[in-house]
């Protein structure tokens, strides 16, 4: 498969068939992921392959989207947090490069994936997966075979709208209302994760999610 074909045609897939993903296919995907660039070439990524339905349900129960439990396999991507480069988070950048390789390799093997950051808090994931303090969960990748090959999605902005030369020269204005909305959402999320009633709120939310899934 041509590289640019994979880049342009790959889509996030949230519906999968029941067909099992063979181990040799998973190995090819992880191998591609491990060839990504990493800060100072540390290659400090780790991958937990999730096939246990009980673990998938536990992840969903604690805040992840419900389609995760319907995927035949999941991959939790971790990266070492032993870095002093916190300004630009080289750990997250390295893990993200690895994930992109993973998605492109999966698409070339006719496998659908969804890169998910809407997952339980790190503290909860550490408990579920027994993750030591020196590794951070970065994202969860659901994977499986799709019934219908995805179609490419048109980009929202033209090429000339996303580039400038030598300086930031984009005519963009962010409405003050949007800024306020974003700040409030961030504040409410901080409060939400500290609520003692969070577990019951999650259960109620899941009922509505399943109803309108």
């Amino acid at each position: 498969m041509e590289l640019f074909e994979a880049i342009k045609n790959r889509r996030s897939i949230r519906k999968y068939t029941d067909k099992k993903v063979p181990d040799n296919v998973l190995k090819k995907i992880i191998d591609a992921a491990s060839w990504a660039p990493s800060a100072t070439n540390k290659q400090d990524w780790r991958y937990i392959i999730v096939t246990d339905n009980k673990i998938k349900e536990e992840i969903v129960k604690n805040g992840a989207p419900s389609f995760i439990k319907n995927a035949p396999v999941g991959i939790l991507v971790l990266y070492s947090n032993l870095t002093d480069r916190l300004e630009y988070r080289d750990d997250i950048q390295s893990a993200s490069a690895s994930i992109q390789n993973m998605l492109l390799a999966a698409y070339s093997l006719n496998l659908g994936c969804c890169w998910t950051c809407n997952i339980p808090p790190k503290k909860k994931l550490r408990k579920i997966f027994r993750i030591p303090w020196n590794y951070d969960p970065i994202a969860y990748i659901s994977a499986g075979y799709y019934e219908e090959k995805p179609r490419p999605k048109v980009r929202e902005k033209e090429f000339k709208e996303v580039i400038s030369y030598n300086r930031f020269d984009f005519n963009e204005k962010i409405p003050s209302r949007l800024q306020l909305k974003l700040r409030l959402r961030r504040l409410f999320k901080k409060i939400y994760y500290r609520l003692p009633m969070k577990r019951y709120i999650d259960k109620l939310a899941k009922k509505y999610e399943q109803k309108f899934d």
Side-chain angles (χ1 to χ4, degrees):
M1 181 180 289
E2 291 288 336
L3 174 62
F4 278 90
E5 179 188 345
I7 290 173
K8 292 183 177 181
N9 291 344
R10 183 211 62 79
R11 295 286 304 277
S12 294
I13 303 297
R14 296 176 176 83
K15 291 184 178 181
Y16 311 93
T17 67
D18 295 331
K19 183 180 177 181
K20 183 181 177 181
V21 180
D23 288 340
N24 66 315
V25 172
L26 285 172
K27 287 178 181 178
K28 287 181 180 179
I29 294 170
I30 298 298
D31 184 51
S34 68
W35 280 94
S38 61
T40 63
N41 199 29
K42 284 185 175 181
Q43 303 173 30
D44 270 340
W45 35 58
R46 299 291 185 273
Y47 311 97
I48 299 177
I49 297 175
V50 183
T51 56
D52 189 324
N53 290 330
K54 289 183 179 179
I55 293 178
K56 294 176 195 173
E57 289 177 3
E58 185 74 10
I59 299 171
V60 171
K61 186 177 73 175
N62 284 280
S66 61
F67 68 82
I68 280 178
K69 64 183 178 182
N70 299 323
V73 67
I75 303 171
L76 182 65
V77 181
L78 314 175
Y79 204 88
S80 170
N81 55 33
L82 300 179
T83 179
D84 57 359
R85 301 176 184 179
L86 299 179
E87 181 72 19
Y88 292 103
R89 295 307 303 265
D90 62 355
D91 52 342
I92 294 178
Q93 291 193 50
S94 300
S96 298
S98 172
I99 293 170
Q100 180 68 349
N101 272 20
M102 187 187 299
L103 299 183
L104 293 175
Y107 179 79
S108 74
L109 296 167
N110 295 314
L111 203 66
C113 293
C114 187
W115 180 344
T116 309
C117 297
N118 181 23
I119 50 180
K122 292 179 182 179
K123 183 178 180 181
K124 194 68 183 179
L125 287 177
R126 289 187 192 284
K127 185 176 179 181
I128 294 172
F129 291 97
R130 302 176 185 173
I131 301 169
W133 67 269
N134 55 311
Y135 281 94
D136 280 342
I138 305 297
Y140 185 94
I141 314 302
S142 59
Y145 291 99
Y146 39 74
E147 294 180 355
E148 185 178 349
K149 196 165 186 176
R151 297 178 181 179
K153 188 175 182 180
V154 178
R155 299 296 90 186
E156 293 184 359
K157 296 185 182 296
E158 296 181 12
F159 183 73
K160 63 182 180 181
E161 295 181 83
V162 296
I163 63 166
S164 67
Y165 292 94
N166 303 316
R167 66 172 67 89
F168 189 95
D169 191 22
F170 301 98
N171 186 22
E172 297 179 359
K173 292 183 179 180
I174 302 176
S176 56
R177 186 176 179 180
L178 179 60
Q179 295 181 52
L180 176 61
K181 184 178 179 181
L182 179 60
R183 289 174 183 172
L184 287 173
R185 286 182 64 183
R186 288 176 175 173
L187 175 62
F188 289 148
K189 280 193 173 183
K190 285 184 179 179
I191 296 172
Y192 169 70
Y193 282 117
R194 288 170 172 78
L195 284 174
M197 296 290 288
K198 175 183 175 300
R199 184 174 60 178
Y200 301 102
I201 296 172
D202 284 342
K203 284 184 178 180
L204 183 63
K206 287 300 170 188
K207 285 184 179 180
Y208 281 97
E209 185 179 354
Q210 290 168 3
K211 184 177 180 181
F212 298 106
D213 196 8

